[in-house]
Amino acid sequence: MVGLSGKVVGIDVVRSLVDLAKQNLEGDGIRVDEEGEGSVLLEWTDGWKGCPAHCPYDAIHVGASSSSIPQDLVDQLAPGGLMTIPIGTRNKQHLMLVTKSARDSSFTAIEIDPDEPVRFVPLVDTSLVDYDKRYKKGWAYGKKPNDFLVECTNDPELRLQKRATALSLGEGQGRNIVYLAKSLNYETCVAVDSSAVGLKKTKTFASHKAVSDRVETLQIDLTASLPGTLSSRSFDLIVSFFLALPPTARRNLNKSVASLLNPGGLYIVECFSPNQEQINKKNSTRNGPRDSELLVGAQDLASDFDSEDVEILVAEEQVRELFEGQFHRMKEAAVTRFVCRKRGKTAWTDFGDYMESLGEPMKGGGNNANFEAMLEAALAAEAAAGPAVEPAASQIPLNSDENFAQWVNSIFSDEITPTRGESNGILPISTDMYLKSSSEILSLSLETARKFQTCPYCWFCECKCDRLAVSGKSTRNDPEINVVLLIHPTEFLRGSSTCKLLRSSENVRVEHLVLGMEGTAERLNAIALLPPSSRFILYPSEDGVTTDTAKSSIQCDHSDPLACKAPTTIIVPDGSWKMTEKIIAETSLANVKAQMLKIEESVVSGHTSPLIEALNTTSGSGRLSTAEAVAFCLKGFGFGEHANSIFAGVERLSEIFEERKGSVKVEGAGNVDCDGETFKELQEAASKLLPADVPTGLRWCSVCGAAMASSKRMHVHLSGKRHLQCVLAASKGAKYASAAELFSKSIEKVKEGNVWSDAPDVAISLLFD
């Protein structure tokens, strides 16, 4: 490329690619990494920084995209040197030609071809992280708490105090401190970070979770000594997750931690261990801190503390999967886990004192570790079950219980970060593309719903709340039945979905959980800790039990007070038949020890669903929608009035779809001659004009009234026999210049059906079509 006397330097941030390039070049007889002219030099380094050791360069080609032109690369160009680099966002880039001035360090940049966009992978920036920039958009490490923190809070041996004080060092955007405030009901929660943007997100997140009055933020540089405003305080729990500090700063901070802890208080740490270097080398990755001094071993942390001050409970190094948001995505992460307890007398010295502190109603367990674990799980479950945000009174639809309104309001006011293809606590790496992308579908559905101005309560573009209102009132604190709807992401915000019809009543509490939504995994995990005898999954399994059998199997174990107080909990997967199969098989429901609950076969076979009938004529016999299945279940448990209210809601929903179907009447479509010349001309016009600009996600045809099982089938339908017969039948008496004009007019009418594009169908089309 540069002749026998020239010099070429190639760099890449991935070591294996550098080795492969060397192997390929040597295979072609090219000298690599040798001294002298005519050699090719290969370096394993950061593309943002270039390779200053061999500059200046007459030309630089950058094979990865950047949002801006890296100044380091411009500086390494010779006067008058040229550089090509793709500039833009991840999805839209243009190839730029950069020319450095022959007189100074200035440069000009022009698009090589404005009409030809390109798409390259992004440059990997291995420099120190600008956390303000990282935290500005989205949730860098997700909104779920750190796994090790959750493990510790659920470990009865650690006996984390409730309603206590907590401090999080290097908190980021609030995921851990808000978890402590919300799930453990900590009274005072202090988040410390150097990023003002991260702390602002922490306050926003706390507000969405209705705990802003208990979450305090402090902007502090933890590489320096702690300010007096913090060092004068004390805490029952201090946590730190993946906080990378130089050794001296780390040791000084840990000495401060020992003084900040109350007697009996805990310090919980997870960070990258020195073994991360070996994992990076083996996998040709660059995860974790680049500076080896920032990697901390278990012995390092243990030596930071005086054994007379603290008791070390956990000090171990391990390799684990680490999936937290978009920046911690590792199949192998070498971590150090550390827990220590401040020595001294605690607020209560034994479990008896602990029970005493909870008050008279909670006594009765004695010094029983199992009872303690179940009690703490129940307290966590009760906290998780509460509303995420308090809505304004005007936001709550009439004749609807507040639980549903609060749930909807919290979702529509929250920011959901797509986490496509990663585990999120309830979904393992799934084989089902929809479950695998649940968070991304949910995010796009919400964006679409806002764009279409979809009513958040009835899930129609033209509000139908007045017609669908289901009688409901606030549930008692101790409901007899707890219905937990686990909603498939493609069902949420769908007009025909019946889960929105389910409301709480005095004796029945209804919870709505969406796969891919923040908090779903935690809530199900809490439910999984409740007594197995009172837990069911509503699903027509062959070995399932009926409601009569279920009622007789629920017995109170008087040796276990918690079991006596627990309501019957019914988990209901919501979606089509195939969707619910996937939910059962490919979520953590597979690990929930619960009996399968089914509706009597005679009840199902004798029922005709008016909604399924309205959506797909003659298909409703012997089939149930989600709401109808729940209604029959509640009826079997003795809640007939509540069940009848649900049946009435399903009837009203089916009437809406019957009216839509009846609004399209095409006379004589069946009499159209499909062998005639006119029909053939229309077929030919359709084949030429399709794919037309049909609204994304449309499943209902406003010309012939047909409903598609999937929006993918709309284009197939538009060129099909039934549709074209209706187009010709509807056009009788009208004059058109050509078959193409007639077909184009029919497409315009189809577009009028855009109001019936459901938000999840638009999301699916955008992601997978």
Side-chain angles (χ1 to χ4, degrees):
M1 182 169 70
V2 294
L4 295 176
S5 62
K7 177 176 63 177
V8 175
V9 178
I11 66 174
D12 203 285
V13 74
V14 180
R15 180 61 178 268
S16 61
L17 293 181
V18 175
D19 295 338
L20 180 61
K22 181 177 181 179
Q23 179 182 334
N24 290 338
L25 289 170
E26 289 178 338
D28 286 338
I30 298 173
R31 294 186 299 119
V32 180
D33 295 342
E34 295 182 12
E35 294 297 328
E37 298 176 339
S39 175
V40 174
L41 305 177
L42 297 179
E43 299 280 354
W44 176 34
T45 187
D46 185 344
W48 280 93
K49 299 173 183 176
C51 190
H54 302 287
C55 73
Y57 302 102
D58 297 306
I60 296 177
H61 166 69
V62 184
S65 69
S66 169
S67 58
S68 60
I69 296 172
Q71 187 60 48
D72 283 346
L73 299 186
V74 174
D75 292 343
Q76 292 169 37
L77 280 173
L82 303 175
M83 175 170 64
T84 58
I85 179 172
I87 297 293
T89 63
R90 180 179 290 271
N91 297 318
K92 186 178 181 181
Q93 305 155 13
H94 283 88
L95 204 58
M96 305 291 288
L97 177 64
V98 177
T99 305
K100 186 174 181 179
S101 171
R103 298 183 300 275
D104 52 35
S105 60
S106 64
F107 64 90
T108 59
I110 61 171
E111 290 184 11
I112 293 176
D113 189 344
D115 296 325
E116 278 299 323
V118 296
R119 190 167 184 180
F120 287 74
V121 295
L123 273 173
V124 178
D125 188 355
T126 61
S127 61
L128 290 175
V129 177
D130 180 347
Y131 282 103
D132 276 348
K133 182 178 179 181
R134 176 169 290 187
Y135 293 153
K136 189 172 184 180
K137 185 176 181 181
W139 299 88
Y141 301 101
K143 294 163 75 175
K144 298 177 177 62
N146 174 269
D147 293 342
F148 186 43
L149 175 60
V150 175
E151 287 179 28
C152 290
T153 57
N154 289 325
D155 186 348
E157 296 296 322
L158 294 180
R159 295 207 314 273
L160 267 73
Q161 299 177 21
K162 308 294 180 185
R163 298 176 293 280
T165 57
L167 169 67
S168 178
L169 302 170
E171 172 57 34
Q173 296 171 293
R175 63 193 181 107
N176 297 310
I177 204 72
V178 170
Y179 167 76
L180 293 171
K182 181 71 176 176
S183 297
L184 295 187
N185 199 26
Y186 270 43
E187 292 179 348
T188 303
C189 300
V190 180
V192 169
D193 204 279
S194 61
S195 169
V197 175
L199 294 176
K200 185 177 180 181
K201 280 281 187 75
T202 297
K203 292 298 288 185
T204 300
F205 191 24
S207 178
H208 286 174
K209 294 297 182 182
V211 293
S212 58
D213 59 326
R214 287 184 277 124
V215 173
E216 177 186 350
T217 58
L218 293 175
Q219 187 177 4
I220 297 174
D221 180 3
L222 292 174
T223 60
S225 59
L226 294 179
T229 53
L230 186 60
S231 59
S232 61
R233 301 170 67 170
S234 60
F235 300 90
D236 300 306
L237 173 66
I238 301 177
V239 299
S240 169
F241 298 103
F242 299 103
L243 175 63
L245 294 176
T248 301
R250 185 199 75 233
R251 287 190 287 268
N252 291 337
L253 179 64
N254 285 340
K255 286 180 182 178
S256 299
V257 165
S259 64
L260 290 172
L261 280 172
N262 286 324
L266 291 177
Y267 181 38
I268 302 173
V269 179
E270 185 172 42
C271 58
F272 286 107
S273 79
N275 291 330
Q276 187 62 42
E277 283 191 310
Q278 284 71 43
I279 290 178
N280 285 339
K281 187 175 181 180
K282 179 185 72 172
N283 298 333
S284 297
T285 55
R286 285 181 174 249
N287 292 320
R290 306 292 178 261
D291 188 342
S292 60
E293 285 195 333
L294 303 181
L295 301 173
V296 186
Q299 187 56 45
D300 297 325
L301 287 173
S303 63
D304 289 348
F305 293 91
D306 188 331
S307 59
E308 294 184 1
D309 292 334
V310 302
E311 174 191 4
I312 296 176
L313 306 177
V314 178
E316 62 185 25
E317 296 177 31
Q318 60 175 256
V319 176
R320 75 175 184 99
E321 286 189 350
L322 183 62
F323 289 101
E324 297 180 327
Q326 36 185 327
F327 289 98
H328 280 170
R329 299 170 64 84
M330 308 171 212
K331 277 289 187 181
E332 288 184 300
V335 301
T336 296
R337 289 181 162 184
F338 181 85
V339 181
C340 67
R341 188 192 302 277
K342 180 77 172 283
R343 297 186 186 278
K345 182 179 175 64
T346 62
W348 42 77
T349 56
D350 57 31
F351 184 66
D353 289 341
Y354 173 62
M355 293 302 295
E356 191 75 36
S357 72
L358 295 177
E360 291 293 330
M362 300 305 295
K363 288 185 180 180
N367 193 9
N368 183 315
N370 289 333
F371 178 80
E372 178 185 1
M374 294 175 71
L375 177 63
E376 295 201 355
L379 290 172
E382 187 63 29
V389 68
E390 191 71 28
S394 60
Q395 290 179 291
I396 302 174
L398 296 175
N399 301 321
S400 176
D401 74 296
E402 295 185 10
N403 290 350
F404 179 77
Q406 289 168 338
W407 171 69
V408 167
N409 291 340
S410 69
I411 293 180
F412 270 76
S413 65
D414 211 351
E415 180 180 352
I416 298 175
T417 304
T419 52
R420 188 175 183 182
E422 71 174 62
S423 172
N424 60 13
I426 181 172
L427 297 174
I429 301 299
S430 173
T431 59
D432 180 73
M433 65 179 181
Y434 293 150
L435 290 181
K436 187 176 181 179
S437 304
S438 58
S439 182
E440 197 164 21
I441 292 172
L442 177 57
S443 181
L444 286 172
S445 293
L446 280 169
E447 184 180 329
T448 303
R450 295 185 183 105
K451 179 182 176 183
F452 286 175
Q453 296 184 322
T454 301
C455 174
Y457 307 111
C458 68
W459 303 352
F460 284 104
C461 295
E462 297 176 358
C463 180
K464 310 290 183 184
C465 282
D466 57 336
R467 297 183 60 180
L468 293 178
V470 179
S471 177
K473 47 190 173 182
S474 296
T475 183
R476 298 188 323 202
N477 291 329
D478 55 342
E480 296 176 55
I481 295 282
N482 189 35
V483 177
V484 180
L485 283 161
L486 188 56
I487 305 166
H488 194 283
T490 62
E491 280 297 293
F492 175 68
L493 294 174
R494 185 177 299 285
S496 58
S497 174
T498 60
C499 66
K500 62 183 180 241
L501 301 176
L502 299 174
R503 299 286 193 273
S504 299
S505 66
E506 185 180 358
N507 302 97
V508 179
R509 179 171 63 190
V510 178
E511 296 181 60
H512 296 75
L513 306 176
V514 187
L515 287 168
M517 183 65 194
E518 168 74 19
T520 294
E522 288 84 349
R523 181 64 185 125
L524 281 179
N525 289 337
I527 291 170
L529 295 173
L530 293 173
S533 62
S534 62
R535 226 172 30 232
F536 299 91
I537 298 175
L538 186 59
Y539 183 74
S541 171
E542 288 185 5
D543 57 352
V545 299
T546 62
T547 51
D548 287 340
T549 305
K551 281 193 296 184
S552 62
S553 70
I554 300 173
Q555 299 176 353
C556 177
D557 180 0
H558 292 282
S559 66
D560 185 349
L562 181 63
C564 296
K565 292 175 70 68
T568 300
T569 298
I570 303 171
I571 302 173
V572 185
D574 178 43
S576 68
W577 179 255
K578 288 185 178 180
M579 290 175 189
T580 53
E581 281 186 317
K582 291 290 185 182
I583 292 174
I584 292 289
E586 301 203 22
T587 72
S588 61
L589 278 187
N591 300 319
V592 175
K593 293 180 180 178
Q595 298 182 73
M596 292 296 179
L597 186 64
K598 63 181 180 181
I599 310 301
E600 288 275 8
E601 198 169 316
S602 59
V603 172
V604 178
S605 61
H607 179 75
T608 297
S609 171
L611 179 62
I612 298 176
E613 196 81 3
L615 294 171
N616 198 350
T617 307
T618 72
S619 297
S621 180
R623 297 175 65 185
L624 304 176
S625 64
T626 297
E628 289 168 310
V630 171
F632 278 122
C633 178
L634 292 177
K635 193 172 183 178
F637 275 103
F639 300 99
E641 184 178 347
H642 193 115
N644 290 336
S645 175
I646 296 172
F647 284 129
V650 174
E651 285 281 359
R652 288 191 287 269
L653 183 61
S654 64
E655 288 170 3
I656 292 172
F657 284 94
E658 285 287 1
E659 290 168 8
R660 185 185 73 171
K661 189 166 62 175
S663 66
V664 178
K665 294 181 179 179
V666 182
E667 303 271 343
N671 299 324
V672 172
D673 182 9
C674 296
D675 295 321
E677 193 65 31
T678 305
F679 186 85
K680 290 180 179 179
E681 288 177 1
L682 189 60
Q683 274 186 319
E684 184 178 353
S687 65
K688 290 180 179 178
L689 293 174
L690 286 172
D693 184 20
V694 179
T696 303
L698 193 61
R699 289 175 58 185
W700 183 74
C701 179
S702 54
V703 169
C704 60
M708 310 298 118
S710 164
S711 59
K712 292 181 179 180
R713 304 189 66 172
M714 180 56 76
H715 283 100
V716 177
H717 165 75
L718 293 176
S719 60
K721 177 181 174 181
R722 173 185 172 181
H723 177 77
L724 296 180
Q725 282 181 306
C726 289
V727 170
L728 280 176
S731 68
K732 284 185 177 179
K735 293 185 178 181
Y736 296 95
S738 64
E741 183 186 354
L742 172 58
F743 185 76
S744 296
K745 290 289 185 182
S746 72
I747 293 296
E748 290 301 317
K749 185 168 178 59
V750 169
K751 290 180 182 179
E752 295 174 11
N754 192 32
V755 293
W756 295 101
S757 284
D758 279 314
D761 288 322
V762 176
I764 291 168
S765 295
L766 292 172
L767 286 171
F768 303 111
D769 286 0

